[in-house]
């Protein structure tokens, strides 16, 4: 029986190891997620995912509870309105009542955190992981992530904020796993990392830091000065990982079976990434490191809440902007009037849904002028700006439409609805790939309302014939193909109509917006 059990264990190990190495080879921090904990057989390890999710959940519930106490029962609707766009309910007592929007937002932060271990540009860079004693440059980068996160939230660029916040969390959490902070007997977080005014501990740049260790568990392999609790004598160090940068003699390694530098003097390692001796020579300190990493993550979230305000902190989901790109050449009088009516109708519809007004963007264009982009959160000001649009001059083929769409995408948040009113083909077709990439990156829909039929022939009447007489060149029936391709790729529509039908057909703008509210 024992022989069969031994064979079974060897088979399991042989089966697991290739997957383990495939998953973990770029990982140089706390294990990234649940599956890495499974494959390393360290079930009680705290992962980046676990630390991040619990911290966000705790601070969110703490914030909601504080809002309830502050507003009282008589102001429940105001609290509910504050949380509407994030699909969070004002009852903070139950985790189950946090909406899908909340968990989707948390997932974006977690994904960005884990990607630091797998992205080619970051997985081997010691600055992103506090490896190889790059403590000072890693601290500078942490502060940049913090600044970017705060500015993104204030600019209502929530996806960008979640991306930088995930990167910040990864590096910050790695500090406690990769440094000797825990071994120095510290019971509180290292405030200097994000607060320059707090005292700094010097880095042991030219000082040996480790003794040789010849077992999987490395106890007491740090030199005495790297473990002292006396503040004036303390030095910080972090382990070297792999062969870049080269590890100087006498320095500590990251350690574990994935770290080739563990064979160089001083042999062994000091990482506390998991509870597995196979991967973490200081596995016995993993829980202490994870506790401090969690406290540091909580502190960042509370500081972020205090910096941007409770409302912005809880606004986990960006309300898409309503964007109009308007051809303002002389032939566009009816289209401009129809766009005004549709914008007014959509604004009135959104006004009945708290938290759904969002941003309004207007980009006019003709030839050769484009813009400027007008952006506001005030629907009244937006409508006033729409009223000031005039159809003047121009009227010939083609126009600078793609330039205007590029400007609109630049000024609008992700997941926005962009409606283009024109009767001309693009003069700037060379921008198609740029505009396509930008629309896909922002996941914004581009819908075209074209008051020109691409199937008209030489015998057709009306504006097409007048244009042909002016240009003395036949208009290609394929001249709107780029618009059709862009709308199809972005999930929008291309609608062909005429001046006489534009008011009726433009109702599709209202219907499409109403049917595609912010996903919950």
């Amino acid at each position: 029986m024992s022989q069969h059990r031994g064979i079974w264990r060897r088979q399991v190990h042989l089966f697991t190891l290739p997957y383990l190495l495939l998953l973990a080879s770029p990982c140089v921090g706390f294990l990234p997620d649940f599956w890495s904990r499974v494959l390393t057989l360290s079930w009680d390890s705290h992962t980046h995912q676990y630390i991040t999710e619990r911290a966000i959940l705790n601070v969110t519930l703490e914030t909601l509870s504080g809002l309830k106490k502050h507003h009282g029962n008589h102001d429940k609707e105001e609290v509910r309105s504050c949380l509407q766009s994030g699909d969070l309910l004002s009852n903070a007592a139950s985790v189950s009542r946090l909406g899908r929007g909340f968990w989707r937002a948390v997932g974006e932060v977690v994904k960005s955190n884990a990607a630091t271990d797998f992205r080619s540009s970051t997985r081997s860079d010691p600055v992103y992981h506090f490896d190889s004693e790059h403590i000072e440059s890693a601290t500078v980068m942490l502060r940049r992530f913090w600044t970017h996160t705060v500015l993104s939230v204030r600019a209502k660029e929530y996806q960008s904020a979640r991306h930088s916040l995930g990167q910040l969390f990864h590096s910050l959490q790695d500090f406690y796993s990769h440094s000797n902070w825990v071994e120095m007997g510290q019971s509180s977080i290292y405030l200097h990392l994000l607060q320059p005014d707090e005292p700094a501990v010097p880095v042991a740049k030219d000082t040996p830091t480790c003794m040789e260790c010849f077992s999987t568990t490395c106890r007491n392999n740090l030199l005495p000065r790297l473990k002292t609790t006396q503040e004036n004598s303390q030095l910080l160090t972090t382990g070297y990982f792999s062969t870049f940068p080269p590890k100087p003699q006498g320095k500590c390694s990251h350690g574990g079976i994935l770290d080739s530098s563990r064979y160089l003097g001083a042999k062994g390692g000091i990482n506390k990434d998991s509870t597995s001796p196979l991967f973490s020579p200081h596995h016995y300190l993993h829980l202490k490191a994870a506790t401090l990493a969690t406290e540091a993550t909580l502190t960042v979230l509370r500081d972020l809440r205090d910096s941007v305000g409770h409302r912005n902190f809880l606004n986990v989901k960006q309300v898409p902007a309503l964007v109009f790109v308007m051809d303002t050449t002389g032939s566009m009088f009816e289209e401009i009037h129809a766009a005004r009516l549709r914008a007014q109708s959509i604004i009135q519809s959104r006004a009945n849904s708290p938290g759904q007004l969002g941003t309004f963007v207007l980009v006019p264009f003709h030839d050769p002028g484009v813009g400027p982009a007008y952006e506001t959160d005030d629907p009244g000001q937006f409508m006033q700006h729409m009223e000031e649009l005039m159809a003047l001059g121009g009227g010939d083929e083609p126009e600078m439409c793609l330039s205007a769409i590029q400007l609109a995408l630049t000024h609008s948040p992700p997941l926005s609805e962009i409606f283009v009113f024109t009767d001309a083909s693009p003069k700037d077709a060379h921008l198609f790939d740029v505009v396509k990439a930008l629309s896909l990156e922002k996941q914004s829909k581009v819908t075209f309302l074209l008051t020109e039929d691409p199937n008209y022939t030489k015998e057709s009447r009306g504006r097409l014939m007048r244009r042909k007489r002016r240009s003395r060149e036949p208009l290609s029936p394929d001249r709107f193909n780029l618009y059709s391709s862009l709308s199809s790729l972005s999930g929008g529509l291309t609608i062909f109509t005429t001046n006489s039908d534009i008011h009726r057909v433009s109702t599709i703008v209202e219907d499409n917006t109403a049917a595609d509210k912010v996903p919950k």
Side-chain angles (χ1 to χ4, degrees):
M1 180 68 71
S2 60
Q3 181 179 6
H4 289 302
R5 189 181 298 119
I7 294 173
W8 180 83
R9 284 175 178 170
R10 285 194 296 273
Q11 289 175 338
V12 169
H13 292 162
L14 289 173
F15 176 79
T16 302
L17 190 57
Y19 290 95
L20 180 59
L21 294 175
L22 179 64
L23 174 73
S25 57
C27 173
V28 286
F30 284 108
L31 300 176
D33 51 29
F34 169 79
W35 290 110
S36 56
R37 185 171 62 182
V38 171
L39 292 177
T40 57
L41 304 180
S42 53
W43 314 107
D44 52 348
S45 294
H46 289 217
T47 64
H48 282 293
Q49 177 181 354
Y50 178 82
I51 293 170
T52 302
E53 286 179 346
R54 287 188 62 84
I56 295 175
L57 178 61
N58 286 340
V59 176
T60 299
L61 294 177
E62 174 187 298
T63 305
L64 289 171
S65 178
L67 278 173
K68 279 193 67 179
K69 292 177 181 178
H70 176 72
H71 286 275
N73 293 331
H74 61 286
D75 277 341
K76 278 186 178 179
E77 287 305 315
E78 184 176 350
V79 177
R80 188 181 300 273
S81 175
C82 171
L83 306 176
Q84 185 73 29
S85 63
D87 195 27
L88 300 175
L89 299 178
S90 58
N91 181 5
S94 174
V95 174
S96 63
R97 298 191 68 185
L98 294 174
R100 284 176 290 174
F102 168 80
W103 291 112
R104 188 180 294 113
V106 173
E108 288 183 33
V109 178
V110 169
K111 182 179 179 181
S112 174
N113 185 324
T116 307
D117 272 340
F118 297 99
R119 195 183 299 112
S120 59
S121 60
T122 59
R123 64 185 178 187
S124 300
D125 189 336
V127 175
Y128 285 87
H129 307 279
F130 275 93
D131 283 332
S132 309
E133 293 189 330
H134 281 58
I135 296 173
E136 293 171 347
S137 53
T139 300
V140 171
M141 187 191 65
L142 271 186
R143 294 171 186 170
R144 287 176 181 168
F145 283 144
W146 166 258
T147 301
H148 185 273
T149 301
V150 173
L151 292 177
S152 295
V153 172
R154 289 175 177 169
K156 299 182 180 179
E157 297 175 357
Y158 299 117
Q159 280 191 319
S160 177
R162 290 192 285 271
H163 177 72
S164 58
L165 188 62
Q167 290 180 303
L168 186 158
F169 283 159
H170 186 99
S171 298
L172 181 67
Q173 292 160 5
D174 274 359
F175 170 80
Y176 296 97
S177 175
H178 295 176
S179 73
N180 61 321
W181 185 257
V182 172
E183 285 84 349
M184 287 193 294
Q186 299 285 356
S187 58
S188 58
I189 63 175
Y190 186 28
L191 294 175
H192 177 75
L193 293 178
L194 286 168
Q195 299 177 30
D197 293 337
E198 293 291 332
V201 178
V203 180
K205 294 180 179 179
D206 301 317
T207 305
T209 55
C210 266
M211 296 180 287
E212 301 279 9
C213 171
F214 299 99
S215 62
T216 54
T217 298
C218 291
R219 293 183 183 271
N220 301 316
N221 60 328
L222 280 162
L223 291 172
R225 192 175 176 186
L226 279 300
K227 297 186 296 179
T228 182
T229 58
Q230 299 177 4
E231 291 187 7
N232 295 333
S233 302
Q234 290 177 335
L235 288 175
L236 272 177
T237 188
T238 59
Y240 282 73
F241 186 85
S242 191
T243 57
F244 178 81
K247 187 180 82 168
Q249 184 70 26
K251 289 293 186 179
C252 300
S253 287
H254 177 83
I257 64 170
L258 303 177
D259 176 21
S260 58
S261 80
R262 73 187 188 278
Y263 297 115
L264 304 174
K267 294 181 176 63
I270 62 170
N271 91 72
K272 298 162 281 293
D273 293 343
S274 71
T275 57
S276 169
L278 197 62
F279 294 90
S280 301
H282 284 198
H283 58 91
Y284 52 92
L285 295 174
H286 170 77
L287 184 57
K288 290 184 178 180
T291 299
L292 288 176
T294 301
E295 184 59 37
T297 306
L298 289 166
T299 300
V300 168
L301 288 167
R302 290 174 181 133
D303 288 346
L304 179 62
R305 178 189 62 195
D306 295 341
S307 296
V308 303
H310 287 52
R311 184 180 297 270
N312 279 331
F313 178 77
L314 292 170
N315 192 9
V316 297
K317 189 156 36 183
Q318 172 74 58
V319 178
L322 175 61
V323 186
F324 282 86
V325 177
M326 295 298 309
D327 185 340
T328 58
T329 50
S331 58
M332 292 292 294
F333 177 81
E334 292 294 338
E335 289 88 336
I336 292 174
H337 183 55
R340 289 191 191 115
L341 294 178
R342 297 283 66 80
Q344 187 173 21
S345 177
I346 293 170
I347 288 170
Q348 290 174 348
S349 174
R350 287 189 175 190
N352 296 324
S353 302
Q356 291 296 320
L357 276 176
T359 304
F360 304 93
V361 180
L362 174 63
V363 180
F365 72 95
H366 51 280
D367 183 18
V370 175
Y374 178 75
E375 181 180 358
T376 181
D377 292 330
D378 188 324
Q381 291 182 5
F382 181 75
M383 286 308 304
Q384 181 179 348
H385 210 75
M386 289 283 288
E387 292 294 334
E388 295 172 358
L389 281 182
M390 300 292 289
L392 298 172
D396 56 337
E397 284 267 344
E399 307 290 353
M400 302 292 285
C401 185
L402 292 179
S403 297
I405 297 172
Q406 181 183 18
L407 187 60
L409 285 164
T410 302
H411 281 266
S412 59
L415 303 174
S416 293
E417 291 272 7
I418 299 175
F419 298 102
V420 184
F421 288 75
T422 187
D423 60 359
S425 58
K427 185 177 184 178
D428 44 6
H430 63 282
L431 291 176
F432 176 76
D433 288 337
V434 175
V435 173
K436 178 183 72 173
L438 192 54
S439 67
L440 293 176
E441 177 188 344
K442 290 204 167 186
Q443 301 178 55
S444 293
K445 293 183 181 180
V446 184
T447 292
F448 293 88
L449 283 87
L450 304 173
T451 46
E452 186 65 279
D453 192 328
N455 296 317
Y456 280 174
T457 65
K458 291 182 180 180
E459 292 74 27
S460 300
R461 303 175 185 177
R463 182 172 51 193
L464 176 60
M465 291 301 295
R466 291 195 296 274
R467 279 188 174 169
K468 286 170 67 176
R469 281 197 294 271
R470 284 197 298 268
S471 65
R472 296 184 179 180
E473 294 181 3
L475 297 176
S476 168
D478 299 327
R479 63 191 180 280
F480 295 122
N481 282 358
L482 290 182
Y483 295 159
S484 299
S485 296
L486 182 58
S487 63
S488 177
L489 287 167
S490 67
L493 301 169
T494 298
I495 304 161
F496 295 98
T497 183
T498 62
N499 274 349
S500 59
D501 288 336
I502 184 63
H503 288 276
R504 178 177 58 83
V505 173
S506 66
T507 58
I508 191 67
V509 174
E510 180 179 358
D511 294 339
N512 193 41
T513 303
D516 196 35
K517 294 292 187 185
V518 184
K520 292 183 178 181

